[in-house]
Amino acid sequence: MKILKFGGTSVGSHENVRRIGEIVKGQNTPVIVVVSALGGITDTLLLTARTTAEGGEFTTGLSAIRTRHEEMAGQLFAGEQLNRVLAKLHPYFEELEKIFQGVSLIYELTPKTLDKIVGFGERMSSLLISEFLDGELIDSAAVIKTDENFGRAYVDLDKTYRLIAEKCSSLKDVAVAPGFISSSSNGVMTTLGRGGSDYTAALFAAALDAEKLEIWTDVDGFMTADPRVISKAYPIPSLTYSEAMELSHFGAKVIYPPTILPVYKKGIPVQIKNTMAPEAEGTLIGLEEADWKDRPIKGISSMSGITLITVQGLGMIGVTGISSRIFGVLAQKEINVILISQASSENSISFAVDSGCAEVAKEGIENEFAVEIASGRINKITVEENLSIVAIVGEHMKHSAGIAGKLFHTIGKNGINVVAIAQGASEQNISWVVKHSDLRKTLNVVHESFFLSPYIELNIFLVGIGTVGRDLLKQIERQQPRLMGEHRLKIKLAGVANSRKMYFDRDGIQVSEVDNLLKSSEEKSNMSAFCQKMIDLNMFNSVFVDCTANAEIAEHYFHIIDNFISVVAANKVAASSSFERYKKLKDTASKKGVKFLFETNVGAGLPLISTINDLQRSGDRIQRIEAVLSGTLNFIFNTLSEEIPLSQAIRMAKEQGFAEPDPRIDLSGIDVVRKLVILARESGYEIEKEDVKMESFIPQKYFDGSLDEFWETINEMDEEFEQRRKELVANNQRWRFVGKFEDGQAEVALRVVDPDHPFFDLEGSNNIVLLTSERYNEFPMQIKGYGAGAAVTAAGVFADLIKVSNI
């Protein structure tokens, strides 16, 4: 025998009732079908009853209830059968009307009367379903016996099991029983409380030693997390009874927690199935499951609308009975405590309650401890509102070391503050309290961290859609399938800005739509507003990507990092600013557990900074840096020829994207100074830009005027450079603009190199760096390659993004 329970949504329409019929017909064993009220009917009954007690009229509500059931009957039946069903429903409507009239006369709605009223929904829906299935109708109230604690009656299990077994002893094929309703030993109607229909089904299953209990609902089973918050959530194939109980208690409203106990005691498996998708596997709840070693964390559950109350005082230490008094008061006021956290020093106890009960709880405790508060032994009772509880559940977490450490490290590095923590000795549940505003981020972070998500998600906010930024987006789009397939990494563009407009979308922006979305956006580009929006979105694994050379944007890095958002910068302004600011950014990123990466500040996509960092971390020390760091200048000096003078080579560098829009930035050598400073700092030296000695090869007058004046006059240098170039050719020598750091001294200058020098054969816009260290002393480490260009720079930014993801 099987017990099949169908919830209100499952019987919410005649189409769904027909699905129930197909499911029941597909069983190869006798079944008892337990049903809830038609969707929404219980709420209508409650509202009508309360309105009536307050002096309102009940005819509208009663008419809606009658209409709903008669319409359902009309959609399921026809002809003589319809008339017969309507005739059976009629007495229920008459009885309801008499009860409402009584309530309206005395303006009083007792718990006893309310139980009588709300039970009508299940009674009428079970009548409809039993007629449709041509099954025997069982009166659950006659066989489920309880005390008279109306609204949440306690079941007499022995008597109930005996009565159910007697009633169903001759059952052949199909029977239908209303859920939720019961009666006392005196025959007074009672109800089993919220989720009582699930509990009814479990009682029938336990009483009859059913082979399985199936709970048919509107979801595919227990999910790894709330799918309304985490789109990547998916059904959990199997759970133990205790895991299901824990998840249900902490907000997973798939099954009513008390349902578990009767079937657990009898070892009856419970299958959660979706009425709308009966082919879905669902979740099987039983004694044990086979795959726990691969997945110690089964799911994440959460509850919102939580208030945390903390009782604190030095006078509590060593005093017996404090906890008993606190929870005694709460019990008297029928306030359920959801979570408890106590300091080991015993000077504080925190407990979480539903926000609707918080004020009553606080007043009760203040009254109970009035003497202690007056004397100062208890000095503070604090109330924190707008909180949520999150819990990870897995019966075998205790077999997996480091779960808690990984959990709170992951939460912390995403800037989520934990307000309180609770963990039982069984280690199958770790619960903690966070601000409600952090709930979405918390769920996503934990879901991803413990491999409950099918992939890791990196949320990027990109500023700068020039050549580098645009190339970066194209590279991400091309590489995304491989990253997903091989590394489970999804890079999602959540925000983007150019110099005019900005646009955000939490669900992700298609790269192909960036230009159109920015063009149509009504949000003007504003860096302060961009940063605040990014912070307010509060997304997990967020990365700010700066593909500009804008000093104003770099000013926002500290605020971004301070809010637990990583920064990847092609913009070299911040790393080459004052040493104090550079150090503050690095230290803050380390403290907050996020990344501040700027590999492309020097050498575009060349692994210069990362190599220096690796040498430093492994105990080596950089003693000397000698480098050609300007791809622009190297291109210019490699392009100079008898046919191409200096002025034309500069134009070619700009036209081919090697030079800045104002090439004087490159010609001045300032760019090389910044790069040398960054390399020296990353090598462990404290240095400022002003400490670098710079020898310019272009007279100052060409930098003083406007850009137009520069282009008009720079050809004045052509003849001089051509003469000097001929001399170099005659001596088989070449120009290189070299940066050098040694013994704390830094300089940049145009140098002449001979054929035996490593810099001599440097082609095109390539860069080269020679690193002399304690280990690489006699033969310096040489790193050489493309040092300029949008594609390689974008590739370097992309590589930094991958580092942030930690794949």
Side-chain angles (χ1 to χ4, degrees):
M1 175 178 288
K2 284 185 182 179
I3 311 298
L4 277 59
K5 182 265 175 177
F6 292 91
T9 304
S10 298
V11 292
S13 69
H14 67 95
E15 292 93 345
N16 290 349
V17 173
R18 295 185 192 281
R19 288 193 183 95
I20 292 174
E22 293 173 1
I23 291 167
V24 172
K25 288 177 183 177
Q27 306 297 320
N28 55 4
T29 183
V31 297
I32 294 177
V33 177
V34 177
V35 296
S36 299
L38 300 185
I41 287 296
T42 301
D43 289 338
T44 304
L45 286 164
L46 278 168
L47 180 61
T48 303
R50 288 167 179 164
T51 301
T52 303
E54 293 171 0
E57 58 88 23
F58 61 82
T59 55
T60 301
L62 182 59
S63 176
I65 294 166
R66 180 193 296 268
T67 299
R68 179 73 192 284
H69 286 86
E70 289 179 346
E71 285 180 349
M72 178 68 82
Q75 291 164 335
L76 294 175
F77 309 104
E80 190 59 37
Q81 188 180 16
L82 174 59
N83 293 332
R84 187 176 69 252
V85 171
L86 291 176
K88 290 183 177 181
L89 282 171
H90 187 70
Y92 290 112
F93 302 138
E94 286 187 336
E95 188 178 0
L96 254 180
E97 184 174 7
K98 290 177 182 178
I99 296 172
F100 282 140
Q101 284 176 341
V103 172
S104 69
L105 288 173
I106 62 175
Y107 298 106
E108 184 179 354
L109 181 65
T110 65
K112 177 181 178 180
T113 304
L114 186 59
D115 265 12
K116 179 78 170 177
I117 290 171
V118 295
F120 273 89
E122 275 71 17
R123 293 168 67 191
M124 291 188 287
S125 68
S126 60
L127 170 64
L128 286 172
I129 302 299
S130 66
E131 290 288 334
F132 182 75
L133 297 178
D134 193 23
E136 179 183 347
L137 179 60
I138 298 173
D139 181 6
S140 298
V143 295
I144 298 178
K145 291 300 178 178
T146 68
D147 60 14
E148 293 188 357
N149 182 26
F150 298 105
R152 194 171 55 193
Y154 182 80
V155 176
D156 181 337
L157 292 177
D158 291 337
K159 190 172 185 178
T160 294
Y161 288 168
R162 177 174 55 80
L163 290 173
I164 291 175
E166 291 174 358
K167 180 66 177 177
C168 299
S169 60
S170 59
L171 179 67
K172 293 182 180 179
D173 295 316
V174 178
V176 178
F180 183 55
I181 64 171
S182 50
S183 67
S184 70
S185 57
N186 295 323
V188 178
M189 182 73 74
T190 58
T191 61
L192 301 178
R194 184 182 68 82
S197 293
D198 287 353
Y199 191 33
T200 300
L203 292 172
F204 271 90
L208 301 172
D209 291 317
E211 63 180 89
K212 183 184 285 188
L213 167 60
E214 294 182 359
I215 305 289
W216 290 83
T217 181
D218 57 352
V219 296
D220 287 342
F222 274 89
M223 308 292 282
T224 52
D226 188 343
R228 295 168 299 180
V229 179
I230 301 180
S231 60
K232 296 175 285 186
Y234 55 90
I236 304 170
S238 63
L239 291 169
T240 64
Y241 293 113
S242 59
E243 288 170 339
M245 181 79 82
E246 292 284 355
L247 287 171
S248 297
H249 175 71
F250 281 96
K253 299 177 181 178
V254 178
I255 191 171
Y256 182 49
T259 302
I260 303 294
L261 188 58
V263 290
Y264 164 68
K265 287 183 175 179
K266 293 291 188 79
I268 299 169
V270 181
Q271 186 89 43
I272 310 297
K273 298 282 283 183
N274 189 343
T275 312
M276 317 310 163
E279 70 283 355
E281 181 181 353
T283 300
L284 181 64
I285 303 168
L287 289 172
E288 60 182 46
E289 23 63 47
D291 63 347
W292 66 265
K293 290 182 179 178
D294 297 326
R295 194 176 300 164
I297 304 302
K298 285 301 191 65
I300 313 164
S301 198
S302 62
M303 298 176 69
S304 297
I306 297 298
T307 294
L308 192 72
I309 300 176
T310 300
V311 182
Q312 185 174 6
L314 294 177
M316 294 169 57
I317 299 175
V319 178
T320 59
I322 295 291
S323 297
S324 175
R325 290 171 64 188
I326 291 174
F327 298 115
V329 169
L330 298 175
Q332 289 172 13
K333 297 185 177 297
E334 297 187 347
I335 296 173
N336 182 41
V337 177
I338 304 166
L339 175 146
I340 303 169
S341 180
Q342 182 173 11
S344 59
S345 63
E346 300 181 7
N347 76 327
S348 71
I349 299 176
S350 298
F351 57 91
V353 298
D354 185 277
S355 293
C357 307
E359 189 60 36
V360 175
K362 181 174 183 288
E363 289 178 0
I365 291 170
E366 287 176 337
N367 292 334
E368 174 67 25
F369 291 95
V371 174
E372 287 85 353
I373 293 171
S375 65
R377 283 179 287 168
I378 291 179
N379 59 0
K380 190 164 38 172
I381 297 177
T382 58
V383 176
E384 295 178 77
E385 300 178 318
N386 299 317
L387 303 175
S388 292
I389 294 176
V390 184
I392 56 172
V393 173
E395 190 165 325
H396 296 282
M397 286 196 293
K398 60 188 174 185
H399 298 296
S400 304
I403 293 289
K406 179 180 180 181
L407 171 69
F408 294 113
H409 171 73
T410 305
I411 291 172
K413 77 175 186 178
N414 276 274
I416 300 164
N417 183 47
V418 176
V419 181
I421 302 168
Q423 180 178 10
S426 66
E427 297 184 44
Q428 68 182 20
N429 177 312
I430 301 176
S431 308
W432 67 100
V433 181
V434 297
K435 292 179 181 177
H436 181 67
S437 58
D438 284 332
L439 177 61
R440 177 186 290 270
K441 183 194 277 191
T442 304
L443 291 174
N444 275 283
V445 162
V446 177
H447 196 265
E448 188 170 283
S449 175
F450 287 97
F451 302 101
L452 294 174
S453 293
Y455 54 85
I456 301 165
E457 195 165 85
L458 202 64
N459 297 297
I460 68 170
F461 296 83
L462 173 64
V463 175
I465 313 295
T467 55
V468 174
R470 195 170 299 280
D471 218 304
L472 173 64
L473 291 176
K474 290 178 181 177
Q475 290 182 27
I476 291 173
E477 188 174 38
R478 286 196 303 269
Q479 189 69 359
Q480 187 65 84
R482 183 176 179 185
L483 290 173
M484 282 286 285
E486 297 181 9
H487 302 288
R488 298 174 50 252
L489 174 64
K490 178 181 179 181
I491 297 178
K492 184 171 75 178
L493 181 63
V496 63
N498 57 23
S499 60
R500 298 174 300 280
K501 299 284 190 70
M502 59 187 188
Y503 181 81
F504 297 87
D505 189 339
R506 173 184 285 277
D507 295 325
I509 302 168
Q510 292 293 326
V511 171
S512 59
E513 293 296 316
V514 166
D515 288 338
N516 291 334
L517 290 171
L518 284 174
K519 186 176 180 180
S520 60
S521 175
E522 296 181 0
E523 292 189 83
K524 292 184 178 179
S525 195
N526 178 288
M527 197 55 216
S528 295
F530 187 95
C531 291
Q532 194 56 51
K533 177 72 172 180
M534 177 174 60
I535 292 166
D536 290 344
L537 281 172
N538 203 23
M539 297 177 73
F540 70 109
N541 291 351
S542 291
V543 189
F544 176 77
V545 182
D546 182 4
C547 286
T548 74
N550 191 307
E552 180 189 350
I553 293 174
E555 288 296 316
H556 292 270
Y557 288 3
F558 178 77
H559 182 53
I560 294 168
I561 291 171
D562 198 45
N563 280 276
F564 298 89
I565 297 174
S566 294
V567 171
V568 170
N571 186 346
K572 62 181 71 69
V573 171
S576 62
S577 61
S578 70
F579 183 82
E580 180 183 2
R581 179 170 178 76
Y582 158 85
K583 188 72 164 53
K584 184 178 181 181
L585 287 169
K586 297 269 286 188
D587 290 347
T588 303
S590 177
K591 179 181 177 182
K592 297 292 184 177
V594 297
K595 302 287 179 64
F596 173 39
L597 302 176
F598 42 89
E599 183 70 75
T600 55
N601 281 192
V602 186
L606 293 178
L608 297 173
I609 293 174
S610 57
T611 299
I612 289 173
N613 291 161
D614 289 343
L615 290 172
Q616 292 278 97
R617 284 191 286 263
S618 65
D620 203 353
R621 180 168 176 78
I622 307 298
Q623 299 171 326
R624 185 171 187 258
I625 302 171
E626 190 176 12
V628 175
L629 297 171
S630 173
T632 305
L633 294 179
N634 205 48
F635 174 85
I636 290 171
F637 293 128
N638 281 333
T639 302
L640 287 177
S641 68
E642 191 172 350
E643 295 79 21
I644 303 176
L646 177 66
S647 58
Q648 185 179 346
I650 295 172
R651 285 190 181 277
M652 290 172 65
K654 179 179 179 299
E655 290 167 357
Q656 295 186 33
F658 295 120
E660 298 288 342
D662 184 346
R664 293 178 297 177
I665 296 173
D666 300 295
L667 295 170
S668 68
I670 290 295
D671 188 57
V672 176
V673 169
R674 288 174 174 167
K675 293 175 179 178
L676 185 62
V677 164
I678 292 170
L679 291 182
R681 287 175 174 177
E682 290 296 293
S683 299
Y685 297 94
E686 183 174 341
I687 185 174
E688 304 286 359
K689 293 193 296 290
E690 294 75 19
D691 298 331
V692 182
K693 180 182 177 183
M694 184 171 64
E695 297 178 18
S696 178
F697 61 92
I698 299 288
Q700 184 61 37
K701 69 175 185 177
Y702 293 102
F703 300 100
D704 293 337
S706 67
L707 181 57
D708 288 338
E709 290 172 337
F710 168 80
W711 287 119
E712 290 172 3
T713 59
I714 189 60
N715 58 4
E716 297 171 355
M717 297 293 298
D718 290 350
E719 185 176 346
E720 177 185 339
F721 265 82
E722 175 57 18
Q723 183 61 38
R724 293 166 63 187
R725 186 195 67 81
K726 289 179 179 178
E727 295 174 4
L728 288 177
V729 172
N731 294 321
N732 194 23
Q733 295 173 317
R734 291 178 179 172
W735 271 317
R736 296 290 178 253
F737 195 78
V738 178
K740 182 180 176 183
F741 179 84
E742 187 175 17
D743 297 329
Q745 303 297 311
E747 62 179 38
V748 298
L750 187 60
R751 297 289 184 235
V752 173
V753 296
D754 296 317
D756 58 349
H757 197 284
F759 295 174
F760 185 83
D761 290 322
L762 196 62
E763 298 178 354
S765 62
N766 285 3
N767 282 186
I768 185 170
V769 176
L770 301 180
L771 298 175
T772 303
S773 70
E774 292 176 353
R775 294 176 188 157
Y776 294 87
N777 197 302
E778 185 178 354
F779 300 102
M781 179 184 290
Q782 183 180 125
I783 302 173
K784 178 181 178 182
Y786 290 121
V792 291
T793 303
V797 174
F798 198 175
D800 276 350
L801 281 173
I802 300 300
K803 291 174 189 173
V804 174
S805 72
N806 291 321
I807 63 171

